[in-house]
Every structure is written in C-alpha cells, then in structure tokens.
C-alpha cells in the first residue's frame, strides 16, 4: 500500500516535470516579449499574464452579465465545454479543461494553456464567439495582450 | 435529552405552522417591484441618444470552487432605433462593436482584424441575434431588451423591494428578483428618470454562485455624431471571417 502510493506520487511528479519542461521555454520566451508592440487602448501599459498560475485557467464556471437572454441556447452549447457563460468580459473559457487535456496531448502539439509571443506561419485568423483566434492546423491560439495562449479548439 | 429537544422542535413547528402557511400563500412577486421594472423599461425605450460607461466586476470559478474576480469596462454610444458603438476593454482583450443600422462589425484593435455582417433590425433584435448566432454578448444588453416583449417579466418567480441605497450621488430604489437559475438585484434612480445605476447577477447554476456587478454611469446629452457608428477600416486592417456559433 505504502509502496503503491509512493509509486503514484513518483509517477505524478514525473508527469509534472515533463509538462513543466515543455512549458518552460515558451513562458520564458513570452516574458522577454511582454512589452512593446504599441497597439491597444490609449497608451496604457500591456498586461502580462505569463506569470499567472496555471490553475487560474482551469475555469469551471463564470458569472453571468445579463438577465434577459435565451439561456437555453447557451447552456446546450457551453455545457459541452464544461464552462462558461460567454460574457463580454469572459475570455477564459477555451482553456477550461487545460489540466485534463495537457496530460494526453502534450507530446503531439502545443500545450493548452501555454503562452507564446508569436504564432507559427500559415495560421488563419478567425472571429468566433466574440474573440479572434489563430487557427494553425489542429492548434488554436487566442491573443492575450501582445501574447498568445494556446487554447482548446473553441468549437 | 435528544428526544426532548426533538419534541420541543416539533411543538415549535406546530405553533409556527400557521404563520409559515400565511407567508407562502402570499404572492412572492411584489407587484410594485414589477411595476418599477416596467417603468424603467418604458423610460429606457424612450431614450433616443445616450452614452453609458459601465464597470463590470465578474467572477470565474476554478476547478476546486475557488473564485477569482476580474474587471472590464465598456463605453456604449447609442442612438435608437438602430445605432450602437460599444468599446469593450479589459486586461486580456480590447474589442469594438460598430452598428450603423446596416452593418455590424467587430474590430480587434490590437490585431487590426475586423469581421462584418449585414444587419438591419433594431437594437433589441441585434443583441439577441448576436448572442444566439455568433455567441457575442453586447455589454449591458438588458438595456435594449427591458421594455420590449423580449424581456419576459412573467418568468420572474420572486420580486421584492429591498429598500433604498446611494449609487454615486443618486438615491436609488433597490429591488431583488429570482428568475430560473439567477438571483438578481437592481438599483433604479428615484425621481423622474428611473435609470438603472447598478445591476448584480448571481449565478445559482454553480454552487460557488459566481456574481457579476455592473455599475452604470449615464450621459443623456452625449456629444457623439453618427459617424461613431460607422466602421471605416484603418490602414493595415484585415477583414477576417466570422463563424456562426456551433454546437459541439
């Protein structure tokens, strides 16, 4: 019993190390490029989210912003993603299941929830659900300030 | 001992029962609170040109139930029946919605992307259509819906007057409502201009009950011209495709 739990602990920390190693370079890259650019709202500084804890992107639900809305439509769509109410203030939803996804797709593509300074060439910008995404084959990026965060496919 | 307290409890219940019954038999929907909503809606629909600035505090619930707050602001320039400009700002994204009565455009200034679709209906139709078809929420979309048939007041299960409060310098009547999975509160300015000054919505669909708080500043004599509603692509702007929302 004791051995088993020790083994499980070792396995999970090994997985963490693997994931951490994969994320670290992009995060480092993002930190270097957090400022500059020059677009955006009226000369205020750009926000940098690269130091935010990964847990903050694992969102299961959000507040709602309006009373008179046909929520039947929303609920059916959104519950499949496990999250969120599509508020004008809410751009967190596509990362909602980051923890679960990361474990399985880490090897094959960019890790959901990781942050990069620029997207690969050949990406197609698409406006979906109020946000602009960069679709790059099977990987989706969402702009965050001057950076991009890898998100689950929004649909 | 345990038994005695159980007996006492039963006794207390028996005595309290008539009072309880009287309370549940009375109407949980206070007609005066509902009338206040209707008056506010009629007043909102009567405004032809206005600007508002709203500051929103929203919450998101993390996997373990811990809540995080975030803020966003929006400025809305409105000319009824069919013109709107909404500037939405947060630390994560800046977006602008333009509607000049013929075309709706969503502009992302940081990336210089815009997506346009034709639309010719009213603002009430616009906010519903944008939400249903494209998953785009217009800030304070309720302002365009209250006072129209699209705001079904019969879905409100509980309505009460919660007293008065100051929002900024305005003395407001405070009302509280329950409707489906949301509990919501509104502060309506007293006097001849019943404008909503604050809106709080609690989401009961999650046990953590994430809540949004919107404070609304009004300008009923705005200086904007109709040019603010028309999107003219700036130099370097790129048109991109907008996809309708899909079920997954």
């Amino acid at each position: 019993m004791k051995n088993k739990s020790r083994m499980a602990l070792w396995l999970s920390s090994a997985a963490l190390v693997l994931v951490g190693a994969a994320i670290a370079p992009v995060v480092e890259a993002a930190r270097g490029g957090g400022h500059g650019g020059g677009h955006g709202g009226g000369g205020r500084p750009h926000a940098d989210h690269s130091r935010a804890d990964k847990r903050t992107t694992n969102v299961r639900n959000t507040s709602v912003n309006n009373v008179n809305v046909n929520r039947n439509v929303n609920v059916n769509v959104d519950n499949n993603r496990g999250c969120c109410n599509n508020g004008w203030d809410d751009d967190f939803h596509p990362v909602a299941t980051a923890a679960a996804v990361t474990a399985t797709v880490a090897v094959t593509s960019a890790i959901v929830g990781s942050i990069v300074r620029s997207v690969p060439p050949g990406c197609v910008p698409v406006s979906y659900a109020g946000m602009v995404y960069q679709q790059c084959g099977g990987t989706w990026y969402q702009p965050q300030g001057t950076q991009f965060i890898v998100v689950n496919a929004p649909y | 001992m345990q038994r005695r307290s159980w007996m006492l409890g039963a006794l207390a219940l028996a005595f309290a029962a008539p009072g309880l019954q009287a309370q549940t038999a009375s109407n949980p929907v206070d007609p005066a609170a509902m009338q206040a909503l209707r008056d506010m809606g009629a007043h909102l629909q009567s405004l032809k040109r206005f600007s508002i600035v709203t500051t929103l505090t929203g919450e998101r619930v993390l996997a373990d139930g811990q809540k995080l707050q975030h803020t966003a602001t929006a400025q809305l320039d409105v000319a009824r029946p069919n013109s709107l400009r909404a500037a939405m700002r947060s630390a994560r994204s800046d977006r602008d919605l333009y509607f000049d009565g013929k075309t709706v455009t969503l502009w992302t200034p940081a990336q210089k992307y815009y997506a346009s679709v034709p639309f010719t209906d009213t603002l009430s139709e616009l906010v519903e259509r944008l939400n249903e078809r494209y998953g785009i929420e217009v800030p304070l979309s309720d302002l365009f819906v209250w006072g129209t048939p699209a705001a079904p007041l019969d879905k409100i299960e509980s309505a009460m007057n919660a007293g008065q409060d100051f929002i900024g310098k305005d003395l407001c009547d405070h009302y509280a409502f329950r409707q489906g999975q949301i509990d919501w509160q509104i502060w309506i300015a007293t006097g001849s201009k019943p404008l909503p000054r604050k809106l709080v919505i609690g989401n009961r669909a999650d046990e953590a009950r994430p809540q949004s708080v919107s404070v609304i500043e009004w300008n009923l004599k705005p200086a904007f011209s109709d040019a603010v509603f028309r999107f003219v692509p700036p130099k370097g702007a790129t048109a991109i495709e907008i996809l309708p929302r899909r079920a997954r």
Side-chain angles (χ1 to χ4, degrees):
Chain A
M1 182 62 188
K2 205 174 175 184
N3 270 349
K4 211 179 244 177
S5 64
R6 198 175 283 166
M7 183 68 177
L9 191 70
W10 182 86
L11 273 177
S12 61
S13 48
L16 268 180
V17 168
L18 278 176
V19 169
I23 289 176
V26 274
V27 172
E28 284 306 316
R31 273 181 200 164
H35 296 279
H39 303 307
R44 58 177 186 183
H46 290 295
D48 181 352
H49 310 290
S50 62
R51 288 186 301 274
D53 194 300
K54 290 297 160 200
R55 286 172 291 180
T56 62
T57 60
N58 197 0
V59 178
R60 77 177 191 201
N61 213 331
T62 64
S63 47
V64 298
N65 300 334
N66 52 61
V67 175
N68 300 293
V69 109
N70 186 354
R71 264 179 246 287
N72 291 333
V73 177
N74 293 347
V75 165
N76 290 339
V77 174
D78 287 340
N79 274 359
N80 292 331
R81 298 224 49 81
C83 189
C84 300
N85 297 295
N86 197 45
W88 63 271
D89 60 314
D90 163 30
D91 47 27
F92 305 95
H93 43 119
V95 205
T97 51
V101 174
T102 300
T104 51
V105 303
V107 193
T108 53
S109 62
I111 295 166
V112 170
S114 64
I115 293 172
V116 296
R117 203 175 1 171
S118 59
V119 296
C123 297
V124 180
V126 173
S127 182
Y128 183 77
M131 304 302 297
V132 171
Y133 296 89
Q134 292 278 351
Q135 187 185 5
C136 319
T139 305
W140 291 73
Y141 295 86
Q142 188 184 348
Q144 276 201 350
T146 55
Q147 303 157 354
F148 297 86
I149 183 166
V150 180
V151 298
N152 290 319
Y155 57 83
Chain B
M1 185 60 192
Q2 229 170 12
R3 187 182 196 129
R4 191 185 288 171
S5 58
W6 182 86
M7 294 264 290
L8 277 175
L11 209 66
L13 255 182
F15 276 113
L20 275 177
Q21 226 159 25
Q23 208 166 30
T24 45
S26 75
N27 187 359
V29 179
D30 171 15
M34 299 303 291
Q35 189 56 45
L37 268 192
R38 278 189 284 271
D39 291 346
M40 179 191 71
H43 185 62
L44 286 173
Q45 294 299 326
S46 77
L47 303 175
K48 297 303 174 214
R49 284 176 95 82
F50 59 90
S51 284
I52 53 173
V53 173
T54 184
T55 305
L56 180 143
T57 303
E59 289 181 330
R60 50 200 204 277
V61 185
L62 303 186
D64 62 359
Q66 186 175 9
K67 286 195 289 186
L68 297 178
Q69 278 196 352
H70 57 265
T71 53
T73 61
Q75 177 172 337
L76 271 62
D77 297 331
V78 181
R80 288 190 198 279
N82 58 2
S83 300
L84 170 71
R85 164 86 172 269
M88 300 167 262
R89 301 287 178 263
S90 77
R92 285 180 169 74
S93 69
D94 289 353
R95 291 168 300 150
D96 291 86
L97 196 67
Y98 293 76
F99 175 48
D100 64 1
K102 297 179 194 120
T103 307
V104 197
T105 301
L106 187 63
W107 162 243
T108 317
Q111 289 86 37
K112 297 197 171 191
Y113 289 134
Y114 66 97
S116 300
V117 287
F119 192 85
T120 53
D121 222 323
T122 62
L123 291 173
S124 167
E125 294 290 330
L126 177 77
V127 298
E128 191 181 335
R129 183 89 170 143
L130 280 180
N131 181 57
E132 284 192 8
R133 182 159 171 81
Y134 294 106
I136 297 173
E137 183 183 66
V138 175
L140 292 173
S141 60
D142 285 326
L143 296 180
F144 308 105
V145 181
W146 277 317
T148 74
L153 298 187
D154 57 346
K155 285 191 181 150
I156 292 175
E157 296 137 28
S158 168
M160 61 181 169
N161 184 315
Q164 290 191 320
D165 203 353
F166 283 102
I167 306 299
K169 288 178 181 164
D170 296 338
L171 180 62
C172 295
D173 289 317
H174 176 193
Y175 298 96
F177 303 89
R178 307 199 98 171
Q179 177 175 347
Q181 287 192 311
I182 61 169
D183 285 355
W184 60 283
Q185 304 172 63
I186 195 165
W187 286 254
I188 303 174
T190 56
S192 60
K193 291 175 181 167
L195 295 170
R197 291 283 278 111
K198 182 176 172 181
L199 178 65
V200 171
I201 305 174
N203 177 5
R204 286 194 286 150
D206 190 292
E207 63 179 9
R209 298 202 177 185
Q211 186 166 273
S212 74
V213 179
S214 301
V215 177
I216 310 165
E217 306 293 339
W218 289 84
N219 179 359
L220 299 181
K221 290 177 180 160
F224 60 74
S225 74
D226 284 353
V228 301
F229 305 121
R230 205 168 309 115
F231 178 74
V232 181
K235 204 178 165 198
T238 309
I240 63 174
E241 190 185 0
I242 183 165
L243 296 180
R245 190 171 187 164
R246 297 178 200 174
R248 191 183 151 101

